[in-house]
Structure formats: C-alpha cells, structure tokens
Amino acid sequence: MTARMLPGNKIDEFAVRLMRSAEVVAPRRVGEEDVFYGAIASPDEIAWDYGTAVEPLKRFLLPQREPILRFSTNGRIRVGAEYDEQQRVFLGVRCCDVTGVAVLDAMYGGDTVDPYYMSRRERSTFIALTCQQPEPHCFCVCGDAGPFLEGGYDQQWTALPEGMLVEIGSAAGEALVRDNEDLFAEAEVDQVAARYRLAREAEQKFGEFKSYIAGAMRKLSMNEVAPAVWEQAADRCMECGGCTYLCPTCSCFTVTDRMAGQDGVRERHWDACLYSCYAREASGHNPRPEREDRLRARFFHKISHQWAVRNGRQACVGCGRCVLGCMGWAHTPAVSEGIRRGVMT
Amino acid sequence: MPEIATVCPYCGCGCGLYLHVRDGRLIGVSPSRSHPVSQGRLCVKGWHAHEVVDNPNRLTHPLVRREGNLVVASWEEAAEVVANGLSKVLESEGPQAIGVLGSARCTNEDNYVLVRFARGTLRTPNIDCSARVQCVPGPAPTSGGPSLGAGAEEIADLDSADLILLVGSDPTEEHPAVAARVYRARQRGARVVAAAARAHPLARLADVHLPVRPGSEVRWLGSLLHLLLAEQGFAADADMPGLSELRASVAGLRPEDTEAATNVPAEALREVARLYLSSKQVVILYSTGLALSTVAGPALQALGSLAALSSRGGGPEVSVLGLLSRNNLQGCRDMGVAPDSLPGYVPLNDDAAVARFEQAWKCEVAREKGLRAWEMLGRVRAMYVVGDDVTRSLPDADAARRALEALDFLVVQDIFMSPAASMADVVLPAAAFAEREGTWTNLERRVQGIRKAVAPPGEAREDWRIVADVSRAMGKPLPYESAKQIFEEIADLASIYAGIAYPPAAVNGGIRWPTPEGRKAGETVAGSGEAEVTALSAEALKGPGARAETNEEYPLLLAADPTLRPWDGEVTVCHTLTSAGEFAVVARDYPDGMLCLNPEDAKRFGVRGGRPARVVSPKGESQMQVRVTEEAPEGIALVPYNQAMHSGLMEISTDPETGRPVLAPTPILVGPVQ
C-alpha cells in the first residue's frame, strides 16, 4: 500500500486546489437532513460526517435525462452530438459508490463504448472516503464494496484524529499528491495500522440487512429458485423503479426524440427493467409480461454468477439504497433471503 | 446541480421530493429521506414528476376559438374574450347560469382566488370541484373525521398499528406511500385485513381477505358489528346514544346469513372480529373503492360506529384515514371550493363570518347554496373550469361531455390540452407545479410549500394570476401579487390555517392544520369531536337491490373498480414518457375496455385473454377486451372505473343523500364475439 498523510489543517486547502481545475463533487447537506453528492463552491459545504448519500454517483455519469444529439430537418438533415467535457473530482464519496462505477464501466466502456458516458468517465477522479459507521440499511460488506476498499479508487481516504490517511490507487491519484506535495506528510506505521483496525471494527457494525448473497447467487445461477419466490416478490413490488434508479450499478436507459418545429433533440432517459413497458415490443408482445418475470431478470443481472463473470464482479455493491427506496418489500436483501430460503416472508 | 425541495404533484400522500435543474430545465427527481411521508421513497409517478413539467405537449399560449378553431391570442385578448363571454351570460341569464370548477391539482392560493372570483366577481354560488364526488359526506367516523378533514389521524399511525383494515382501498395503486407503510407494518408483525372484491397484492398478502361483493359494503360491516356486539361480547357502553338503535339495525345479521349476499365467508369474518378485539391499535384505511360505491355514506357511517364503539367501549384505539386521490383535494375543500361554504368551511349563513370576507374582498359575496359539480352540468349556460378534465372526473362522463358541448361558453385553464380543454371557447395555459410558488394540503392536512424551479413555457402563468387577470378584465381587479400574500390572507380569514407561516417548508413535511392557534377554529369546523354511533339504514343494508342481482339471462356481475388502474389515461400522466408507458396501458392495450375475468369465468363463458368479448347488460351492449386474472373474483367482472363510465353498460344511479351519480353494479352476459 502506498499511503501518505494529509494533515487535518490542509484538507480544505487541498480541496480548494482541486476546485481550480475541476468541478469538485462532494457530499453536502440539502434540506433538513438529506445528503446529496453535488458540486461545491467551498470546502465548508462538505459533510465529512455523513452516513450515505441519498443517491449514488450515477447521476453524474449517466444523468436521469440528457440530450445526446440535436438535429434539424430544415432543408437537409444536420446532426450534432453533445458531450459533457467537464473535469470532475469526486471527493469524499463512499466506497460502495466508487465500486458501483466499476460496474457501469463494464456496461458502458466494455465491448461497446458509449461515448457520452466515457466522455464523463475519462474526466472523473474518485477520492473515496472509508466508512467507519455503516447505517442500518447498509450491507456493502456482503457486496465486496466496503466499508474500506483494497483497490478500484484513485485515492482512498480514512479519517484519523490527525488528518486523512491517503491511500493511492492509481496514477491519477498519485499525480494529485505529486502536484500538491507541500500539503502531504509521510504516513507513520501506526497510522497505517489504525486504518486496518478501523476497517475490522467497521465490519462488525453492520445491521439487520446483511445479505448472504453467495447462497442466493448459487441458487440463481443454477436455476434452483423456487418459482413461488418470484410470485411472492411480485406481490411485494410496486414497480416504482426506485431500486433501479437508486442503484449505483443499474444502467438501463431509453431514448426519445423531441421536436420543436424543424429542430429536434434526441434525449436519453433512465429506464427500469421493472416497468411493464420496458421490454414491450412495438407489436404489443412483451417477453416479460408479468412482474415476476421482470424481477427475475433484474436479480439475475444483479447477483447471478453469469453476470458477475461479465461485469468482473457481482453487480450489487450492498449500498442498501434499495432497502430505503423500495415502496414494497422486494429489495435485494429481502429477495436474496427469499431465494435462499425458497420463500419470502 | 441544485436540488429544489418540493412536493410530488400526483396523489394525496404529498411525498417530499427534490427537483434537479440544469440550464433552466428540469433534468430529474430524487426522493427525500427526511420527509415524513416519503421517507426516501417515490412511486413511478414521483420519480418522473419532471416529465409532466418539461414536456413538448404543454399549453404555452392562450387560445381563443375563432371560426371553430382554437387560435393563439395574447393574454389581453383572451382575458377580454373571457370577460365578454361571461358578462353576456351574466346579463342575459344571471349569475346562477355560470358554474365554476376548481381543481384538486392546483394550489390553495389558486383555489382561494377562484372562490373569490366566483362568489365575489361573478356573484355565482355555483363553485365546486368534481373530485369532491369521492369525498364521502355525512357524519365523520372519529373526532370530526375525514368528511371535514379535521381528525387527528395521520399516515404515521400505521407505524404503531397492530391491525390494518383496508376497506375498498388498494394503496399499491392509489397511494403508494401509504402502501409502503403497510408493507413495513406487516414485516414487523402487524396484521392486515383487506376488504375488496379484487384480490390486489396487499389482499393476497393479507392475513384475511374479505372478497366483498360490490354494493354489499354496509352489509358485511353490519355483520361485523353484529359479531362484535352480540357474539364476541364487545364491552360497549350501554348508555351510549344510538347504541340500542345500532344493535337493533344489525340484529340477526349472522355472518352465515350474510355470506351469500356479501361473498364474505362467515369464518373469515369471525377471524376479523377476533383480530379486531385482540388488537390495541387499529388503522382503517378507505379510499375511492368505498367512497365511490353505491352505499358510500352509510358504509362510512358504519365505520364511524365501529370506531366510536371502540373508543367508548374499551376496544382498540381506532384511526380512520380517508385517502384522498389528488395532491390537493384536501386543500381544495379547505379553500371553500364547494357550493355550501366559504374558505375554512365557513357556513354561508354565519353573518359575522361572511361579513369578514365581504370586508376583506370589498364586495358582496354570493351567499346562496350553489350547485354541486355534477348538478351544474346541463343546468348552467357557461362554465369556468380550472385544472379539471370533467370528461373524466365524474361518474357520468358521457353526460358531462354532452353538457360541455351544449354550453354557450366554456373556459378551461390547464397545463395540457385535455379532452375538456379541446371543447373550450377559450383555453388558458397554466404554470405547472415546478414553475410557481404556493401550497398544497395533503390527505393528512399537511400544508406544504411548493417551489419554483424553472420558468413556465411560453406565456403560461399561475392559475391565480390568470383568474385575477380575467377579473380585472371584468372591471373587478383582485389585488394579488404573490402566493405569499394570498396565503397570508387565507390564514387570516380561513382560521383553520391560522398560525401557519408562509412558506411551510416541504422539506420538513410542512405544517399540519390545525396548529394550536388554529385548533379552536378547527374544532368548531369538525363538530364536537365526539364519536357517534348510528343505526345502519335498512336500505343500505340491502345494497343496490334487484337491479344488481345476477340471473339466468345475466349471470355475471359487472362492477366498476375505482382502485383498478386509477391513473390510467389521467391527463397529467398520459403526456409523459415513462409514466405514460406505465399508465396508458389500459387505453393502449384495452382501448375498448379492460374486462377483468377470473380464469373460471373466462372458461365458463368461452372467452380468451387479450381477445374482445361481447358484453350485454340490461342497459346496453358493448365489446371489451378480456384480461384473465386471478385478481377478479369468480362471478364478478371488474372494469377500471374510468372505462366503466364510458361503457354504456352500467346503470348510473343517484346517491339518495347527496344526489351524486354512482355507477351501480350491473348484471351482464359475456360471450365471444361472433
């Protein structure tokens, strides 16, 4: 591990320097108690003591709605694509959310590269903040995505009494230290040891939603799930789409054209595999007509072995947002427990 | 990307959400975890609330009908045309010939200004809101209760309930935020009883599902009361006024004897009685499934008696929560969008209170009792309709359409070209919820501020501003400059809102009325707060009677189910992208009607799913597409309410108490199309 120390009194200065060359996106309090990741205008806005943000980082890489090209039918057709070329540093974001980006990368940067996504992704730097106090809905420990990471970040920070222990995970992370060498100190052996002790302690603090995904993955991948489980899950799902929208790794979208006179804009919008209209074909035929069919497809993508191989890891990172966002009771811990037991409670 | 905290514009739950804005456009929605109703969740409509605002189909300019076509006009021209049109009717026929409809979608401020416009400027008492058709009148169940909306009940009661009774309510369709609480209550061990003909998801998960035959709602409730009083030894206070009459009215309603009429198995009902008596805190939820039934008033009375018996007889603590369908139906009523009161439920015969309004409004107000929404149609010559598609919001929709066609003058204010708007002489474009300030009041009376996130498209503007413009064109300017100013006048005059400072921030869930300051007024409004026990009417116990009996010729019962896909085709979702995908299903896949049949019935009558079937009733004949589903009980065909009212198959009966039109269950014959 390559680690340095960023003393407590240098953190704000580091953030200010980051802001000179990039949009810095960090956790900040909005409204009463809600925490959202958002662009900051000052380091004072950063909520370092937060638990989890209401939403993952997805909105910054894959907006809920974005124009992807404009066209005009005036005389002859002209088409112009639009890319977001903003440099962004994601500062103090949770490990589960940084891991989620790796799954999006597999989708949008894999066999078929999505230029809209990659334009943002290539200009993004991730500084993760380890999690010392998981919230009741969290289960990243079951998703191999926290509370501390062993890789997959540009930098990973751990809050120690004297400042941030900064682990460097990439050349980009290394460059941020090199360019601001005056702010950083060497990390002591004790400080590195403290980081591992804190990680072990955090792992003991998870609550009731721990999800033993491995067992569910085996049954799902071997086609051993009792069919009744999907019907039972369907009665507990209201098809709100919240689990997919809040999921750091759900990546489905739809595309629509909007015309204003002779000018049009093609927009990409989030879509959800749970919606009845998602897979419906123009003929009216729907390959997944029932809600249980759609739930099966979703969980196959999230936690089957087959998809884990494609993505390089299981898609569920255990951020627990589906637990909070589910209108019914068909979130990942509930359904994976149902899969393992053969019945949903 | 700033997050703007506001309120969801769809159902009566009033979920808190954040709007995301970039470059002056809405680009998304996030839920609020700290909001007391939504708690981090949103339904599919809420997740796509931005689509209803930033939408290519929005109305952007005033439209005036010239030579049969609606053409773009300036605001000045449009206001002039409206003023002239209304003045002409006023001169020739008098103010009684004008009807005004407010909107359960619009803000309190819009509705308040509209009431002033109707009763002050036009001097017509005919002001109402068509969605009030689903507000059950009559005595309120508990402590003043839902009919006036001043009870203590709230959604959070579900968090401590050990028994939840869903009476004619499918919150998974109608009130998702409430359903989310029911699911969570169930997970922690609360018992759930669902009384509805349709086996909806929560009915399937319930401890007991009572598959109540439509029209027999009072009868099964009577049977339950009989069980509790006579057999289960409910420790009722013998001196309670009305108790002996109630006892007499339900005497002999043994569950075994009502089984055939109600479809409720006696043993299931006995189980419900046992669960009820062994519970400490009961929450009863009802919505349109009860409120639009043929026996809505008496059924709500029966629920009231149940609650009253409990509170005075040592039974469980009972909350009865009426779930209103629209975001601001509660506020719309609070603002006096009703033919029989002024804002704040001020009675028209209260001289001192009316004088306060006249002084504030600097004009005389129409003090007579006006026509109800459903009575206006066919009786007035001109209508001013705000945010309401009357062709969809009343049970007798076809009559509504004919009545609109026959009007001398029709003005519609809306955000989309609704079917009603397309019939208008003048169409006025309104600002959507994210384009303006104001307040909404949710079904538990949370007054919540909505916030402006983006500018309205084209020349669209706030509803209250449009109304004020028209009033000015009629020579009677209304002196309003901001929602804040209007709200402060409301809080001053409608004392139920006293003590609420503007804006009541949505992020905290707003402020529930009555505040301590407004409580005194609230209690006056709600009556004594004493729960009442009343006898069940023999008429209601009988149900819809012989016309709704099946027979050899018509062996199936057709029932309109208001809880079945209630948002399908609603004007605010059918123009959106994703929500329309989810909620235009019935119109898209079942354009002639979705006839939900139990698999046994489909087999029995030789019809197949997805195929049209011939449906014959004593009233008419039609074709509908069959959907075969276990949700439909055997012997009863269910059709979404909004389609049933256009089907031409159902009897439209009149509620004896209120005169409102009701779709009565009708016997039918179903067969394959030849």
Side-chain angles (χ1 to χ4, degrees):
Chain A
M1 179 176 90
T2 313
R4 302 290 295 273
M5 270 307 290
L6 181 61
N9 59 4
K10 303 283 171 61
I11 295 172
D12 283 2
E13 172 60 19
F14 181 69
V16 167
R17 292 193 195 172
L18 293 178
M19 288 165 63
R20 285 183 196 144
S21 55
E23 183 178 274
V24 174
V25 173
R28 74 235 198 289
R29 288 209 159 69
V30 171
E32 199 67 356
E33 302 155 36
D34 290 324
V35 173
F36 280 90
Y37 296 131
I40 54 162
S42 152
D44 298 341
E45 290 177 45
I46 303 175
W48 293 107
D49 60 342
Y50 77 116
T52 56
V54 174
E55 294 198 338
L57 299 172
K58 184 164 70 181
R59 210 177 268 285
F60 293 91
L61 295 161
L62 184 70
Q64 187 171 4
R65 162 187 186 175
E66 64 170 328
I68 54 178
L69 59 87
R70 290 182 197 280
F71 54 92
S72 166
T73 55
N74 189 8
R76 56 183 236 270
I77 293 179
R78 286 178 290 114
V79 176
E82 278 189 20
Y83 301 106
D84 178 353
E85 296 182 338
Q86 176 70 50
Q87 291 284 345
R88 287 193 183 88
V89 177
F90 294 90
L91 175 62
V93 297
R94 286 289 177 222
C95 299
C96 51
D97 293 330
V98 172
T99 308
V101 175
V103 181
L104 292 180
D105 286 349
M107 165 72 191
Y108 287 107
D111 299 340
T112 308
V113 173
D114 181 289
Y116 305 98
Y117 176 88
M118 286 314 289
S119 173
R120 296 189 175 94
R121 179 66 182 86
E122 284 163 356
R123 292 171 177 81
S124 299
T125 306
F126 297 97
I127 300 178
L129 179 65
T130 58
C131 183
Q132 299 182 26
Q133 182 53 61
E135 293 194 330
H137 60 272
C138 292
F139 58 99
C140 64
V141 71
C142 316
D144 189 23
F148 287 55
L149 293 177
E150 301 310 323
Y153 47 77
D154 294 307
Q155 288 185 0
Q156 172 169 265
W157 292 11
T158 298
L160 298 177
E162 55 274 32
M164 293 289 181
L165 178 81
V166 177
E167 296 170 70
I168 295 160
S170 73
E174 173 80 59
L176 287 181
V177 173
R178 201 173 48 239
D179 295 348
N180 300 284
E181 193 61 63
D182 57 314
L183 299 179
F184 287 84
E186 294 306 317
E188 306 291 334
V189 174
D190 286 356
Q191 289 167 330
V192 174
R195 174 253 186 247
Y196 284 100
R197 179 175 48 76
L198 289 168
R200 275 196 307 281
E201 284 171 12
E203 282 164 13
Q204 303 307 312
K205 293 180 185 167
F206 283 84
E208 61 172 309
F209 289 106
K210 262 196 279 192
S211 179
Y212 303 98
I213 288 172
M217 182 185 278
R218 187 187 62 76
K219 283 199 164 187
L220 197 58
S221 312
M222 307 285 278
N223 199 19
E224 288 174 7
V225 183
V229 169
W230 298 118
E231 285 166 29
Q232 290 161 1
D235 275 347
R236 289 158 177 78
C237 169
M238 268 185 256
E239 218 168 305
C240 66
C243 57
T244 61
Y245 285 6
L246 290 169
C247 182
T249 69
C250 271
S251 54
C252 291
F253 64 85
T254 186
V255 167
T256 180
D257 288 348
R258 283 176 51 163
M259 296 299 296
Q262 289 179 316
D263 297 321
V265 57
R266 175 159 297 177
E267 290 182 340
R268 167 150 78 179
H269 296 248
W270 286 355
D271 203 351
C273 56
L274 289 170
Y275 294 151
S276 63
C277 54
Y278 173 80
R280 188 181 185 274
E281 295 162 11
S283 67
H285 171 69
N286 195 333
R288 298 176 202 153
E290 302 299 332
R291 202 170 283 165
E292 52 257 40
D293 307 326
R294 302 193 283 276
L295 279 161
R296 188 192 294 120
R298 175 162 197 274
F299 280 93
F300 199 78
H301 281 217
K302 287 293 124 179
I303 56 175
S304 76
H305 172 74
Q306 289 86 339
W307 273 86
V309 169
R310 278 176 72 162
N311 288 333
R313 54 157 293 124
Q314 71 180 41
C316 177
V317 296
C319 71
R321 289 192 179 86
C322 54
V323 176
L324 292 178
C326 182
M327 273 278 168
W329 202 254
H331 49 74
T332 301
V335 174
S336 65
E337 183 189 276
I339 291 172
R340 283 190 294 110
R341 294 188 176 174
V343 63
M344 288 200 63
T345 52
Chain B
M1 199 157 53
E3 296 85 2
I4 309 227
T6 189
V7 184
C8 178
Y10 288 103
C11 80
C13 292
C15 286
L17 53 76
Y18 292 99
L19 295 170
H20 297 277
V21 183
R22 173 167 284 176
D23 303 332
R25 294 188 61 194
L26 291 184
I27 54 164
V29 170
S30 298
S32 164
R33 282 188 192 172
S34 58
H35 191 275
V37 176
S38 41
Q39 300 182 320
R41 300 177 284 267
L42 287 174
C43 74
V44 58
K45 299 185 296 297
W47 271 112
H48 299 96
H50 58 294
E51 290 178 10
V52 75
V53 180
D54 193 321
N55 191 303
N57 302 323
R58 285 284 302 279
L59 291 169
T60 54
H61 292 83
L63 303 171
V64 172
R65 195 170 293 281
R66 295 217 165 95
E67 292 166 8
N69 299 317
L70 285 169
V71 295
V72 172
S74 71
W75 273 113
E76 291 68 31
E77 282 174 275
E80 204 57 39
V81 173
V82 175
N84 289 341
L86 293 174
S87 300
K88 219 161 95 185
V89 176
L90 278 177
E91 278 157 29
S92 61
E93 318 257 348
Q96 296 278 357
I98 298 182
V100 179
L101 292 183
S103 175
R105 278 194 251 141
C106 293
T107 63
N108 290 322
E109 295 72 22
D110 297 330
N111 282 303
Y112 174 84
V113 172
L114 189 69
V115 169
R116 176 170 175 178
F117 174 68
R119 289 200 180 262
T121 303
L122 298 176
R123 299 285 307 282
T124 177
N126 303 328
I127 171 142
D128 201 359
C129 165
S130 63
R132 233 169 42 85
V133 76
Q134 54 165 281
C135 298
V136 184
T142 53
S143 63
S147 73
L148 286 171
E153 300 78 9
E154 56 181 329
I155 293 172
D157 291 347
L158 289 164
D159 300 346
S160 48
D162 48 8
L163 176 65
I164 297 166
L165 230 62
L166 297 162
V167 184
S169 164
D170 174 4
T172 67
E173 290 269 7
E174 290 188 290
H175 301 92
V178 168
R181 301 290 258 265
V182 177
Y183 276 105
R184 276 151 187 79
R186 186 185 165 276
Q187 285 303 130
R188 65 163 169 75
R191 305 303 188 109
V192 178
V193 172
R198 186 163 58 85
H200 57 73
L202 278 170
R204 296 197 289 268
L205 290 179
D207 295 273
V208 186
H209 172 212
L210 307 176
V212 179
R213 185 181 176 85
S216 70
E217 290 84 356
V218 177
R219 200 168 169 87
W220 83 263
L221 283 166
S223 214
L224 177 65
L225 283 163
H226 165 78
L227 265 183
L228 293 171
L229 285 168
E231 294 188 20
Q232 304 275 349
F234 200 80
D237 169 3
D239 297 335
M240 200 185 281
L243 179 60
S244 54
E245 289 84 351
L246 172 67
R247 220 184 260 281
S249 70
V250 299
L253 287 178
R254 290 176 58 244
E256 286 73 13
D257 301 333
T258 55
E259 209 174 282
T262 60
N263 290 3
V264 172
E267 197 34 54
L269 200 60
R270 287 182 194 282
E271 176 62 16
V272 172
R274 278 193 292 272
L275 285 174
Y276 189 87
L277 288 175
S278 64
S279 299
K280 290 196 174 60
Q281 202 180 333
V282 179
V283 174
I284 302 178
L285 301 172
Y286 72 89
S287 70
T288 53
L290 183 77
L292 287 170
S293 82
T294 47
V295 288
L300 191 62
Q301 247 174 18
L303 288 180
S305 296
L306 184 63
L309 280 173
S310 267
S311 71
R312 304 229 352 223
E317 217 178 283
V318 181
S319 310
V320 182
L321 193 57
L323 303 177
L324 300 178
S325 65
R326 286 308 308 225
N327 56 322
N328 199 33
L329 181 48
Q330 176 69 47
C332 187
R333 299 159 76 203
D334 295 347
M335 291 306 108
V337 181
D340 53 4
S341 67
L342 285 170
Y345 303 98
V346 167
L348 294 162
N349 57 13
D350 181 341
D351 292 338
V354 174
R356 287 191 66 214
F357 279 93
E358 293 188 328
Q359 202 178 0
W361 291 354
K362 296 186 180 61
C363 66
E364 277 183 55
V365 304
R367 290 185 62 169
E368 349 29 323
K369 192 163 180 287
L371 298 171
R372 299 177 177 114
W374 50 93
E375 295 166 335
M376 290 180 199
L377 303 165
R379 311 239 313 246
V380 298
R381 296 310 313 151
M383 286 188 83
Y384 194 106
V385 178
V386 176
D388 183 3
D389 179 10
V390 193
T391 67
R392 194 181 182 280
S393 49
L394 288 171
D396 197 347
D398 292 328
R401 180 180 289 276
R402 284 193 301 275
L404 292 187
E405 271 166 9
L407 288 173
D408 294 339
F409 192 61
L410 172 63
V411 183
V412 175
Q413 256 174 241
D414 212 320
I415 62 171
F416 292 115
M417 185 63 87
S418 67
S422 67
M423 297 162 72
D425 296 287
V426 183
V427 178
L428 303 171
F433 81 103
E435 297 158 353
R436 34 113 22 108
E437 309 272 317
T439 59
W440 287 335
T441 308
N442 86 338
L443 60 85
E444 37 170 15
R445 300 183 326 285
R446 272 176 204 287
V447 185
Q448 305 191 87
I450 58 166
R451 283 171 60 198
K452 180 170 178 170
V454 292
E459 294 183 11
R461 49 177 75 162
E462 299 100 316
D463 287 283
W464 62 262
R465 209 181 282 278
I466 302 174
V467 172
D469 287 347
V470 170
S471 193
R472 183 182 310 108
M474 296 185 78
K476 294 178 183 168
L478 307 179
Y480 299 117
E481 293 301 327
S482 69
K484 179 173 191 283
Q485 180 200 359
I486 302 168
F487 187 86
E488 283 165 357
E489 185 174 310
I490 293 168
D492 184 34
L493 288 173
S495 44
I496 53 171
Y497 278 48
I500 302 176
Y502 186 90
V507 77
N508 311 319
I511 297 171
R512 291 185 76 203
W513 76 260
T515 61
E517 200 178 320
R519 184 166 299 281
K520 199 161 169 294
E523 276 168 10
T524 315
V525 163
S528 66
E530 194 80 342
E532 278 181 26
V533 171
T534 45
L536 304 190
S537 88
E539 189 67 26
L541 279 167
K542 263 190 282 175
R547 279 188 312 173
E549 298 289 333
T550 53
N551 50 46
E552 253 173 54
E553 194 182 350
Y554 302 111
L556 261 178
L557 190 68
L558 178 71
D561 185 349
T563 70
L564 177 60
R565 307 210 61 107
W567 289 95
D568 238 283
E570 152 73 30
V571 69
T572 52
V573 296
C574 70
H575 286 287
T576 62
L577 179 69
T578 311
S579 304
E582 288 284 289
F583 295 109
V585 174
V586 172
R588 185 184 65 207
D589 295 351
Y590 301 89
D592 303 319
M594 181 170 86
L595 188 75
C596 296
L597 285 182
N598 183 275
E600 290 303 317
D601 287 331
K603 208 184 301 169
R604 183 171 155 213
F605 295 101
V607 294
R608 290 172 56 191
R611 296 292 183 82
R614 179 169 167 263
V615 188
V616 188
S617 81
K619 187 152 182 272
E621 183 178 332
S622 171
Q623 279 193 16
M624 288 183 177
Q625 276 140 297
V626 175
R627 181 170 161 246
V628 177
T629 168
E630 301 271 1
E631 283 201 3
E634 229 181 301
I636 299 177
L638 297 171
V639 177
Y641 196 85
N642 296 312
Q643 285 187 320
M645 60 193 194
H646 296 294
S647 67
L649 293 166
M650 301 192 74
E651 286 294 340
I652 293 171
S653 63
T654 304
D655 184 285
E657 207 176 327
T658 62
R660 71 200 172 109
V662 181
L663 290 174
T666 306
I668 53 164
L669 173 69
V670 171
V673 175
Q674 295 305 321

